[in-house]
Amino acid sequence: MTHDHTDLLAAFADLGNTKLSEHSLDEILSRVASVARRALPGAVDVSITLVRPSGPYTAAYTGDLALKLDERQYEHHRGPCLQAAAEQSTVSVPDAANDSRWAGWALRAAAAGAGSVLSVGLPIIDEVSGALNIYGGRPHAFDDDAIGLAQSFAGYAAVALANAYLYHTTADMVGHLQAAMDSRAVIEQAKGMIMVQQRCSAEEAFALLTRISQNSNRKLRDVAAALVADIRSRP
């Protein structure tokens, strides 16, 4: 059976037009899952598993069936999505009701309504791997051509996800660094003002700020900012 590649090309274009600066990482992951469900023949539900050092989790999903079956794999530390992510391979379950792998997970998947399952590994970055999980509503929902399309989509999606992951993690790091620098700056301002008013050393000024912070149960930065604002507001 041969499928029209038009939908897949449109899906690639859809993902390629996504502006990283205008969407959160969660929104991009959800978009990839949604586009995959529309573009891949036989797909009833789609999810994206990410495996970080802290463990696996479902980062995006198009329906409760995918989420439920993903989470069962995480609970028992085995299943097609975990295998695909670990091996960076394609794991196919053509007929879940007659598949005895993963300690009966496939049988439970069939009972839940997933007649067949396809998981394709997603290399994201060194410390994060993942898998695109495609759930079919009937046995043998994914023929060879559908598997090939899924692999092509996963390869393209992996690049998009890696770019998004790096963009947003870098943006977070820059944001934290800027916040730290801003905090340092306002604390130094407050110290300088105290030194002038109290005619004390920098160490004594910092000790005073620390005591106020502890006694009022407020963050040191907030105490410093309030002091600077108060002094600046005086005539």
Side-chain angles (χ1 to χ4, degrees):
M1 180 179 178
T2 301
H3 298 286
D4 188 351
H5 290 225
T6 303
D7 287 345
L8 193 61
L9 293 175
F12 289 165
D14 190 6
L15 293 179
N17 290 330
T18 302
K19 294 183 179 180
L20 301 182
S21 61
E22 296 179 358
H23 300 276
S24 69
L25 181 58
D26 286 343
E27 289 172 338
I28 292 171
L29 290 164
S30 295
R31 186 169 187 174
V32 169
S34 178
V35 170
R37 184 179 181 274
R38 295 198 312 266
L40 299 176
V44 170
D45 253 348
V46 170
S47 66
I48 295 174
T49 293
L50 292 185
V51 183
R52 299 184 295 188
S54 58
Y57 72 105
T58 297
Y61 59 96
T62 61
D64 290 339
L65 174 66
L67 178 63
K68 175 182 176 182
L69 294 178
D70 283 359
E71 290 184 338
R72 186 166 188 88
Q73 295 179 64
Y74 311 150
E75 290 170 7
H76 297 275
H77 310 291
R78 60 173 68 90
C81 76
L82 295 179
Q83 183 176 329
E87 298 175 355
Q88 287 302 292
S89 62
T90 298
V91 179
S92 177
V93 184
D95 185 357
N98 292 293
D99 196 313
S100 60
R101 288 177 288 178
W102 309 295
W105 176 88
L107 298 178
R108 293 185 177 88
S116 50
V117 184
L118 185 63
S119 288
V120 184
L122 294 172
I124 310 298
I125 56 176
D126 288 344
E127 66 270 23
V128 180
S129 61
L132 178 70
N133 311 307
I134 309 156
Y135 293 94
R138 59 177 177 79
H140 304 288
F142 311 115
D143 60 17
D144 290 343
D145 192 44
I147 293 173
L149 290 174
Q151 291 170 330
S152 296
F153 182 90
Y156 190 92
V159 174
L161 292 179
N163 289 339
Y165 193 90
L166 289 171
Y167 176 88
H168 286 285
T169 53
T170 300
D172 288 343
M173 289 175 61
V174 171
H176 293 319
L177 179 60
Q178 185 63 53
M181 292 173 65
D182 291 344
S183 294
R184 175 70 178 271
V186 75
I187 290 170
E188 291 301 320
Q189 280 184 291
K191 283 170 55 179
M193 291 176 174
I194 292 172
M195 290 167 64
V196 170
Q197 286 190 330
Q198 303 292 328
R199 297 183 181 179
C200 62
S201 67
E203 291 76 12
E204 291 170 331
F206 185 74
L208 176 60
L209 282 172
T210 302
R211 284 198 302 274
I212 296 173
S213 172
Q214 292 172 343
N215 292 339
S216 62
N217 195 28
R218 296 161 63 198
K219 292 181 180 179
L220 185 61
R221 185 213 178 281
D222 294 340
V223 170
L227 186 146
V228 170
D230 178 63
I231 293 177
R232 284 179 173 173
S233 66
R234 296 175 187 175

